[in-house]
Amino acid sequence: MSNVLITGSSSGLGLSLCDVFTHNGHDVYGISRSPTPRSIQSCVIDFSNKEKVEESVADFLLYIGVEEFEYVFLNAGVLGPISKAVDLPLSELESCFQINVVAAKQVLDCLFTKPVTLKNVVAISSGAANKAYDGWLSYCLTKAALKQMISCYAVENTDTHFVSLSPGPVKTKMQEALLREDATKFRSLQKFHDIYDNLDSSDVVAEKIFKELPFNKGLESGSFTAIK
């Protein structure tokens, strides 16, 4: 079967994507900031360390020796602090931007500059890429930037199909973090508090993503889409 590379593979949706692709016979490779608790070839990379990401990814690609990936999932990301825009320290914004956008670019650049064929790139996006939420400056800004970055790469790399995919709210650590925030301070949070108990697990969402991949291939490269 084909090769699949997943960033943020150690937990949440990334780990569930590892499972669903493995169970369907694909060879899965993971990159994450902590060890991936599965018997796949993976490496630990601190995406917040700009100086080390490209070197570490390049070393991993050399080690595994894969010449073609059917899918690359740019899934690694952080919510960032929930804060009024005026109160958000620049250092926090820069940190979020490094992990959610710059590190994704560094991974792509390593893949494109090595003798590796990329057939499909799926960037895990969010409705926050298209909509402003009270208190979510760092997340909204970085997801919007990631979406536009994917569109630009699609224009320049026509042999690879790109898509930004929003999975919708998923019952992961990110939603747990939102649940701990005070909804009386940020009006955007109440909706997420209300729906938490009924959210799909990351395993369920990963299965949905897998089943919709043929549909996504039919979209114009660089498109933004959401789980149906």
Side-chain angles (χ1 to χ4, degrees), residues 6 41 53 62 67 71 73 104 116 123 137 140 156 172 175 193 200 211 215:
I6 300 169
Q41 292 195 67
V53 174
L62 181 64
E67 296 181 351
Y71 285 99
F73 282 88
V116 177
L137 176 64
C140 290
E156 297 176 359
T172 61
Q175 290 298 322
H193 286 201
D200 285 336
K211 290 177 181 177
F215 167 79

Side-chain angles (χ1 to χ4, degrees), residues 171-188:
K171 190 174 283 188
T172 61
K173 292 179 181 178
M174 184 175 293
Q175 290 298 322
E176 291 173 4
L178 290 176
L179 201 62
R180 292 192 294 269
E181 296 287 344
D182 187 353
T184 64
K185 293 182 179 179
F186 302 97
R187 61 184 180 276
S188 62

Side-chain angles (χ1 to χ4, degrees), residues 28 123 130 206:
V28 179
N130 298 319

Side-chain angles (χ1 to χ4, degrees), residues 110-121:
C110 278
L111 290 164
F112 276 114
T113 55
K114 301 298 177 185
V116 177
T117 299
L118 304 185
K119 298 181 74 173
N120 299 277
V121 173

Side-chain angles (χ1 to χ4, degrees), residues 100-151:
N100 290 0
V101 184
V102 177
K105 181 185 187 304
Q106 291 178 297
V107 171
L108 282 179
D109 291 349
C110 278
L111 290 164
F112 276 114
T113 55
K114 301 298 177 185
V116 177
T117 299
L118 304 185
K119 298 181 74 173
N120 299 277
V121 173
V122 179
I124 298 301
S125 189
S126 167
N130 298 319
K131 180 180 178 180
Y133 288 92
D134 178 33
W136 292 36
L137 176 64
S138 58
Y139 193 68
C140 290
L141 183 59
T142 55
K143 284 301 183 183
L146 177 65
K147 178 170 95 53
Q148 190 69 355
M149 185 181 81
I150 290 301
S151 296

